[in-house]
């Protein structure tokens, strides 16, 4: 399929009608302006390709930040019937449980601004970033397996943060069903030295402040107020997850033949959920999910330590309570209502965030009446958003919304655009203190290399799948 | 244009990156692809080749062998903290190769590291014979 027909459902939703081998229609959330750009990418074809997979329920979905990905588009959501459906590593991505944690401090912008340089330097010292960075945590094989089974719970037991943190993490920072016996030696080896590291590319740790509030009641429930200093941690399961994905692709390619699954693109390789291959991937993927939960828990504690070092304040004065943590590359078993009937489904989210509405059982009691917080990072220079899940998501997107801005330029193009410029200096002129392991990372990650995340979150709000609560602007950032 | 001296070029891909390599024979094609991979990861000029490691890779076919070869090199880099800048493929068939690779232990104060390669993918992967020899394309997930 090289061209797709896009039919407008309403101002913020487009449909690729079912044709050929598609089992369901594909649907893309976007504004009229966005859909023109999306059309030029190969991503709508990918959304249509996903609709070919056995057991897919209702629609192959894509969020407004859709762009080309390996097999599945980034920004894709697909739910599968547990009996007839498949699990696909390409529907999760290489960086399994890449996610975002938001911490809220008790400090305001004025208190932190004069110390930003010291703070960013302390963060850079405390949190290993970039390629080849080793965490202080060089765990043994036996300990690594505990991390894979227990996730952030393991980290809390070791003194990184507290039990209270876990209440505000998706899955409470620990997913059941992690099977360490199906994990390769290579994955274990790649993961071992990378626990407690941020990584490179688009991952970052950002200090910012609440710059706008759109819903004061929900913001109050989340404990967010104007000018309050916040921290966003964006990272995932590091080399461990990359290797789990890589290992599974070979197995899944053989499974496709074994089970006679007809695919429009080899990269959609998958296996029936209840097959040995499907179960093995799920067991290994969940290990990676737990690795990432532990990783962010450890980094959050080092962030608190860095604030203490730089600001010479007590942990109590600093705060840095977990507002919430979301996963945006994951497959999970969830119950959703489909055509008036409750169904247990395997929901793949690849560059998409769970966005459960108010009333969902999975929410922490404090957030039950407001919906699940959704954290959408933007680029280094502009802003990020805090949203909550809305009823439309429960009705239409298996409780999902967008995950970020999405790139507007390739890395090569961004490097060209940044060439001859001092990006760190430019950001400093805008009041943002940045420290990165590699200058090239800064060049590749220049703000203009990304789309404006406001367009993405606005489209989700207009479509009724999530609701804007607050905007955060950066003050400082560390990167790989 | 593929530079004649280096035998590879970086190609543009929205979120990721790739290389296109050319060479008169298969051994050099694999060597050039390896140089292309490490040229993406770090500044090769900062690497001395004081240490040699011998490696052997097997796969089901020629394309898969290229992916396995580059994956092995990336794995060696990430887990043994050694950077490589010189690659010599000594024996190569359709499904296996033997090579000597040279480099030195990673030193973040000396080596200029650019990026991390998560995986070598099968997306857009090809090896084809041309009038001048061979050409290959590989996309990396960054």
């Amino acid at each position: 399929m090289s061209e797709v027909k896009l039919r407008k459902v309403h101002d913020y939703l487009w449909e690729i009608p079912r044709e050929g081998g598609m089992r369901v229609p594909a649907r893309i959330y976007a504004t009229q302006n966005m859909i023109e750009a999306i059309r030029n990418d190969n991503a709508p074809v990918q959304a249509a390709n996903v609709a070919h997979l056995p057991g897919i329920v209702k629609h192959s979905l894509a969020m407004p930040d859709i762009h080309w990905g390996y097999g599945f588009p980034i920004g894709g959501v697909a739910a599968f019937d547990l009996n007839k459906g498949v699990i696909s590593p390409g529907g999760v991505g290489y960086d399994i449980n890449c996610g975002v944690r938001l911490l809220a401090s008790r400090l305001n912008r004025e208190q932190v601004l004069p110390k930003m340089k010291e703070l960013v330097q302390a963060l850079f010292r405390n949190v290993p970033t970039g390629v080849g960075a080793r965490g202080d945590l060089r765990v043994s094989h036996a300990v690594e397996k505990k991390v894979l089974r227990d996730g952030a719970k393991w980290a809390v037991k070791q003194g990184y943060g507290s039990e209270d943190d876990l209440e505000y993490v998706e899955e409470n920072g620990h997913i059941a069903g992690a099977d360490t016996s199906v994990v390769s030696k290579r994955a274990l080896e790649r993961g071992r030295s990378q626990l407690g590291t941020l990584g490179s590319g688009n991952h970052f740790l950002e200090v910012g402040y609440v710059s706008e509030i759109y819903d004061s009641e929900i913001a109050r429930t989340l404990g967010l107020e104007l000018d309050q200093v916040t921290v966003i941690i964006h990272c995932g399961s590091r080399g461990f997850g990359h290797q789990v994905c890589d290992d599974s692709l070979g197995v899944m390619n053989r499974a496709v033949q074994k089970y006679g699954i007809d695919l429009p693109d080899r990269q959609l390789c998958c296996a029936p959920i209840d097959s040995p291959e499907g179960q093995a991937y799920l067991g290994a993927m969940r290990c990676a999910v737990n690795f990432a939960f532990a990783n962010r828990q450890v980094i959050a504690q080092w962030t608190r330590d860095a604030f203490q070092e730089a600001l010479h304040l007590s942990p109590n004065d600093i705060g840095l309570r977990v507002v919430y943590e979301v996963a945006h590359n994951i497959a999970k078993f969830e119950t959703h209502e489909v055509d008036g009937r409750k169904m247990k489904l395997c929901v793949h989210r690849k560059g998409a965030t769970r966005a459960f509405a108010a009333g969902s059982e999975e929410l922490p009691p404090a957030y039950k009446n407001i919906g699940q917080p959704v954290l959408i990072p933007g680029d280094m220079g502009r802003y990020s958003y805090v949203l909550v899940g809305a009823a439309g998501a429960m009705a239409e997107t298996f409780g999902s919304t967008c995950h970020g801005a999405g790139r507007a330029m390739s890395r090569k193009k961004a490097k060209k655009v940044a060439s001859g410029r001092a990006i760190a200096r430019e950001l400093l002129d805008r009041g943002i203190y940045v420290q990165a392991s590699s200058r090239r990372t800064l060049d590749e990650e220049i703000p203009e290399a990304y789309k404006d995340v406001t367009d993405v979150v606005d489209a989700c709000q207009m479509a009724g799948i999530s609701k804007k609560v607050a905007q955060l602007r950066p003050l400082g950032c560390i990167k790989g | 244009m593929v530079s004649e001296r280096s035998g590879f070029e970086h190609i543009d891909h929205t979120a990721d990156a790739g290389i296109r390599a050319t060479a008169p024979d298969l051994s050099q094609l694999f060597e050039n692809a390896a140089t292309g991979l490490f040229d993406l990861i770090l500044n090769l000029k900062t690497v001395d080749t004081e240490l040699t490691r011998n490696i052997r890779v097997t796969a089901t076919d020629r394309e898969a062998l290229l992916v396995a070869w580059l994956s092995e090199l990336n794995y060696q880099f990430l887990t043994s903290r050694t950077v490589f800048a010189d690659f010599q493929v000594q024996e190569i068939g359709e499904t296996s190769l033997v090579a000597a690779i040279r480099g030195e232990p990673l030193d973040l104060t000396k080596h200029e590291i650019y990026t991390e390669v998560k995986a070598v993918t099968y997306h857009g992967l090809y090896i084809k014979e041309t009038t001048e020899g061979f050409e290959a394309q590989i996309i990396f997930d960054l």
Side-chain angles (χ1 to χ4, degrees):
Chain A
M1 210 186 283
S2 58
E3 289 259 318
V4 292
K5 293 186 198 106
L6 276 168
R7 183 181 71 83
K8 187 172 182 172
V9 179
H10 58 64
D11 284 351
Y12 307 99
L13 183 60
W14 306 77
E15 181 167 285
I16 305 167
R18 204 182 134 180
E19 63 167 40
M22 288 170 72
R23 292 165 198 261
V24 294
R27 285 189 157 190
I28 301 172
Y29 287 85
T31 60
Q32 176 87 45
N33 281 342
M34 296 169 124
I35 204 77
E36 298 307 325
I38 291 169
R39 236 188 249 274
N40 294 331
D41 194 10
N42 206 31
V45 175
Q46 292 194 312
N49 285 346
V50 171
H52 289 71
L53 295 176
I56 186 164
V57 172
K58 206 75 186 160
H59 299 109
S60 161
L61 297 162
M63 301 298 122
D65 46 340
I66 179 177
H67 55 276
W68 186 93
Y70 191 83
F72 285 61
I74 311 234
V77 176
F80 295 85
D81 182 308
L82 287 196
N83 300 315
K84 294 179 285 190
V86 292
I87 175 94
S88 176
V92 173
Y94 277 101
D95 198 0
I96 298 166
N97 193 8
C98 183
V100 184
R101 174 179 283 209
L102 175 66
L103 305 173
S105 77
R106 292 206 177 102
L107 308 164
N108 65 43
R109 185 156 59 122
E110 298 310 316
Q111 288 172 281
V112 174
L113 265 181
K115 293 276 190 183
M116 268 320 289
K117 188 175 175 184
E118 288 86 342
L119 180 56
V120 169
Q121 286 172 345
L123 287 165
F124 199 74
R125 271 197 312 274
N126 278 289
V127 182
T129 62
V131 193
R134 262 195 297 210
D136 285 340
L137 272 173
R138 248 150 288 165
V139 295
S140 68
H141 282 296
V143 171
E144 187 181 16
K145 287 192 175 168
K146 278 190 196 154
V147 174
L148 303 179
R149 278 191 296 264
D150 297 341
K153 261 174 36 185
W154 170 84
V156 170
K157 261 189 223 146
Q158 306 307 307
Y160 297 96
S162 70
E163 279 290 331
D164 299 343
D165 295 340
L166 304 184
E167 192 174 339
Y168 298 97
V169 178
E170 198 168 316
E171 298 294 320
N172 299 116
H174 159 252
I175 198 164
D179 181 0
T180 57
S181 74
V182 293
V183 172
S184 73
K185 260 194 184 151
R186 296 208 145 203
L188 291 171
E189 209 45 57
R190 279 180 76 173
R192 222 151 62 83
S193 62
Q194 292 193 331
L195 188 61
T197 65
L198 200 59
S200 66
N202 65 349
H203 296 141
F204 64 82
L205 191 158
E206 179 180 286
V207 179
Y209 68 98
V210 180
S211 48
E212 288 214 45
I213 284 180
Y214 307 101
D215 186 313
S216 50
E217 212 160 301
I218 296 179
R220 202 171 310 126
T221 307
L222 294 176
L224 296 176
E225 56 185 39
L226 275 179
D227 268 345
Q228 178 181 13
V229 168
T230 54
V231 171
I232 300 172
I233 299 166
H234 177 214
C235 61
S237 51
R238 310 289 296 108
F240 182 86
H242 310 158
Q243 190 66 40
V244 165
C245 178
D246 211 18
D247 291 340
S248 68
L249 293 173
V251 176
M252 291 299 187
N253 262 316
R254 289 190 291 278
V256 165
Q257 291 181 3
K258 178 173 163 190
Y259 298 105
I261 303 169
D262 201 14
L263 297 178
D265 175 358
R266 239 182 99 174
Q267 293 159 41
L268 295 172
C269 62
C270 54
I273 294 167
D274 58 6
S275 67
E277 294 87 349
Q279 289 297 310
Y281 172 69
L282 276 166
M285 181 207 70
R286 288 166 179 156
C287 289
V289 167
N290 284 334
F291 187 102
F293 280 142
N295 197 28
R296 290 189 289 265
Q297 181 69 19
V298 167
I299 290 175
Q301 188 51 44
W302 287 340
T303 301
R304 291 167 175 147
D305 296 345
F307 268 70
Q308 283 184 57
E309 280 171 42
L311 305 176
H312 307 290
L313 291 169
S314 73
N316 197 43
D317 291 335
I318 291 166
L320 291 177
R321 161 186 65 84
V322 181
V323 176
Y324 205 68
E325 176 179 313
V326 293
H328 56 221
N329 279 11
I330 199 164
K332 293 210 291 195
F333 289 0
E334 295 171 357
T335 302
H336 290 276
E337 204 174 290
V338 180
D339 299 328
R341 203 161 55 88
K342 283 212 185 284
M343 267 182 97
K344 200 165 180 197
L345 303 168
C346 179
V347 182
H348 292 61
R349 295 191 183 94
K350 182 191 194 178
T353 314
R354 193 181 75 172
F356 283 179
S360 298
E361 277 174 27
E362 287 80 357
L363 299 183
Y367 298 162
K368 207 123 227 173
N369 296 325
I370 59 166
Q372 179 214 304
V374 176
L375 314 166
I376 309 297
D379 58 76
M380 285 191 292
R382 284 178 275 189
Y383 26 60
S384 299
Y385 285 94
V386 180
L387 323 174
V388 285
M394 304 319 282
E396 298 175 21
T397 60
F398 307 106
S400 314
T401 191
C402 62
H403 89 304
R407 290 192 80 94
M409 284 177 203
S410 70
R411 291 165 204 262
K412 195 173 166 180
K413 173 127 189 257
K415 258 188 316 219
K416 205 177 271 174
V417 170
S419 153
R421 288 165 51 183
I423 302 303
R425 180 75 234 177
E426 283 181 25
L427 287 164
L428 192 58
D429 289 344
R430 290 161 68 173
I432 306 160
Y433 192 91
V434 177
Q435 197 166 354
S437 298
S438 148
R439 201 199 131 136
R440 187 176 286 194
T441 300
L442 281 187
D443 289 355
E444 290 177 352
E445 294 285 312
I446 45 168
E448 58 264 47
Y450 284 87
K451 293 178 199 156
D452 189 340
V453 72
T454 304
D455 295 339
V456 173
V457 296
D458 283 348
C460 291
Q461 169 146 320
M462 299 295 194
I465 57 175
S466 49
K467 184 177 190 315
K468 267 174 22 177
V469 177
Q471 183 194 61
L472 313 172
R473 284 186 182 262
L475 295 170
C477 177
I478 63 166
K479 287 191 71 80
Chain B
M1 271 299 286
V2 176
S3 141
E4 282 199 15
R5 230 177 62 241
S6 61
F8 68 85
E9 63 170 337
H10 294 293
I11 55 176
D12 228 4
H13 195 264
T14 325
D16 299 311
I19 50 169
R20 196 170 297 132
T22 54
D25 61 46
L26 214 50
S27 302
Q28 281 185 57
L29 184 77
F30 275 56
E31 290 168 3
N32 291 344
T35 311
L37 167 64
F38 277 84
D39 187 63
L40 195 68
I41 294 173
L42 82 169
N43 182 349
L44 288 173
K45 289 189 203 118
T46 62
V47 181
D48 289 312
T49 52
E50 59 186 39
L51 157 167
T52 301
R53 195 170 293 172
N54 297 303
I55 61 173
R56 185 186 171 82
V57 181
T58 58
T60 49
D61 58 48
R62 201 152 74 178
E63 269 94 3
L65 186 66
L66 182 58
V67 171
W69 156 245
L70 298 175
S71 299
E72 176 66 30
L73 297 176
N74 193 37
Y75 176 78
Q76 294 280 338
F77 160 60
L78 290 169
T79 55
S80 73
R81 299 177 65 76
T82 309
V83 289
F84 302 100
D86 181 58
F87 311 89
Q88 280 172 29
V89 175
Q90 294 156 331
E91 284 171 42
I92 186 163
E94 288 289 302
T95 59
S96 73
L97 71 79
V98 175
I101 58 176
R102 273 180 265 280
E104 65 178 334
L106 173 64
D107 175 354
L108 292 172
T109 61
K110 177 184 175 191
H111 301 125
E112 190 188 351
I113 307 281
Y114 299 141
T115 196
E116 181 176 47
V117 171
K118 289 180 192 166
V120 182
T121 78
Y122 280 84
H123 173 68
L125 170 72
Y126 69 77
I127 297 178
K128 64 181 184 193
E129 292 187 36
T130 63
T131 47
E132 288 93 37
F134 290 90
E135 182 183 309
Q137 175 179 286
I138 312 103
I139 308 284
F140 304 107
D141 197 280
L142 299 187

